[in-house]
Amino acid sequence: MSTVIIKSKEQIAKMRAAGRLAARTIEEVAKILKVGLSTDEINAFVHDYTIKHGGKPAPLGYRGYPKSVCTSINEVVCHGIPSSRRLLDGDIINVDVTTVLDGWHGDVSATFYIGKVSDEARHLVEVTRKCLDLAIEQVRPGARLGNIGAVIQEHAEKNGCSVVRDFVGHGLGRGFHEAPQVPHLGEWDRGLRLKTGMTFTIEPMINQGGWELYILDDDWTAVTKDHKLSAQFEHTLAVTVDGCEILTAFSGPLASSNSNI
């Protein structure tokens, strides 16, 4: 993780294609989400859709992970393993898709409302979405990496939420996880200077209560220590000459009968 790999225009084009497929997968998932759907059914949909369109689901088999997507409900911070668990009215769920296409990765996630959610849940999700938006605005050549975490931390804490410290964004390319690590809290004008051709994810995990978490016995599922809600949004970015490009941009708002995201 020590060397940041600068991507060429041709390599970023490959990542753009992988990111587009990952984003399309999330867009299609949004259409099937409903009360009563199991997370195993989400996993099967993501797996089949990815394969059908020429990609591979990166999580499957990665360090022993058993499924093709991560589905994190309510107090699950990240890396929730799909199961027979069915979605309930009032749940929030993060669906985290990483796609490999032609050897390159695209990584994206979004948190969805299922049915009628509480005002508190909606507040958390919207704060988290805004944290990602504000962080993306900080990405440009010459900016410091710490600005990403600083703006996320400021917005989350100003709105009564906390920032998960145990997980970070990361470089992405041919590798699932590359340099640099991208913390979601930090200090302004500190850290690595961003350069054109860097590619990485920003994926803030924001909690309703405290930032502390623990890992379940499955060695993957991260859960808030106080069992309060957690939300996450993620995009893959490329630093460009005059700013950045969202390689996993959606074609429009993610929407289903149960969410308006």
Side-chain angles (χ1 to χ4, degrees):
M1 292 288 290
S2 60
T3 303
V4 176
I5 301 171
I6 300 297
K7 312 301 192 302
S8 68
K9 290 182 179 180
E10 293 76 17
Q11 290 172 327
I12 289 174
K14 295 282 190 181
M15 291 189 65
R16 186 180 298 116
R20 188 178 301 120
L21 178 53
R24 287 208 317 265
T25 305
I26 287 273
E27 290 173 331
E28 294 302 315
V29 167
K31 298 175 184 178
I32 68 168
L33 292 176
K34 62 181 180 180
V35 173
L37 186 74
S38 75
T39 52
D40 262 337
E41 290 172 313
I42 297 171
N43 180 74
F45 180 90
V46 168
H47 182 92
D48 293 347
Y49 187 90
T50 303
I51 299 298
K52 179 181 178 181
H53 290 85
K56 295 191 299 182
L60 184 60
Y62 180 76
R63 297 184 178 177
Y65 187 79
K67 298 296 178 78
S68 296
V69 67
C70 296
T71 52
S72 302
I73 301 174
N74 295 337
E75 74 276 7
V76 177
V77 176
C78 61
H79 303 156
I81 300 174
S83 69
S84 60
R85 199 302 199 172
R86 297 191 179 275
L87 299 177
L88 303 176
D89 186 52
D91 282 342
I92 60 172
I93 179 172
N94 176 269
V95 180
D96 190 345
V97 170
T98 309
T99 303
V100 184
L101 184 66
D102 196 23
W104 295 87
H105 289 73
D107 196 356
V108 64
S109 83
T111 299
F112 297 90
Y113 304 123
I114 303 301
K116 185 177 181 180
V117 304
S118 67
D119 291 343
E120 293 79 11
R122 188 174 295 273
H123 173 75
L124 172 68
V125 171
E126 296 310 321
V127 167
T128 308
R129 186 202 320 279
K130 185 65 173 179
C131 281
L132 178 57
D133 291 344
L134 291 171
I136 291 171
E137 291 175 3
Q138 298 300 319
V139 180
R140 65 183 70 90
R144 295 283 190 177
L145 191 65
N147 295 357
I148 293 170
V151 75
I152 290 170
Q153 184 177 6
E154 282 185 7
H155 187 72
E157 293 179 355
K158 179 178 69 177
N159 284 279
C161 302
S162 64
V163 181
V164 170
R165 305 180 183 198
D166 299 74
F167 298 100
V168 296
H170 52 87
L172 195 74
R174 287 193 177 274
F176 196 160
H177 294 88
E178 300 179 352
Q181 291 190 350
V182 184
H184 300 121
L185 68 168
E187 298 180 28
W188 289 99
D189 299 322
R190 299 291 296 272
L192 184 72
R193 285 199 184 276
L194 302 183
K195 296 181 179 180
T196 301
M198 286 184 176
T199 55
F200 52 82
T201 70
I202 303 176
E203 46 187 293
M205 288 154 262
I206 307 299
N207 291 352
Q208 191 178 52
W211 60 265
E212 298 88 347
L213 56 82
Y214 64 97
I215 308 297
L216 298 186
D217 290 341
D218 61 21
D219 293 328
W220 283 102
T221 308
V223 179
T224 57
K225 188 174 182 180
D226 56 16
H227 287 266
K228 293 187 176 181
L229 299 177
S230 184
Q232 180 187 15
F233 287 90
E234 173 184 16
H235 273 306
T236 300
L237 308 171
V239 182
T240 62
V241 172
D242 56 357
C244 71
E245 178 185 354
I246 302 173
L247 300 177
T248 48
F250 301 120
S251 59
L254 298 179
S256 74
S257 59
N258 301 286
S259 61
N260 185 11
I261 315 217

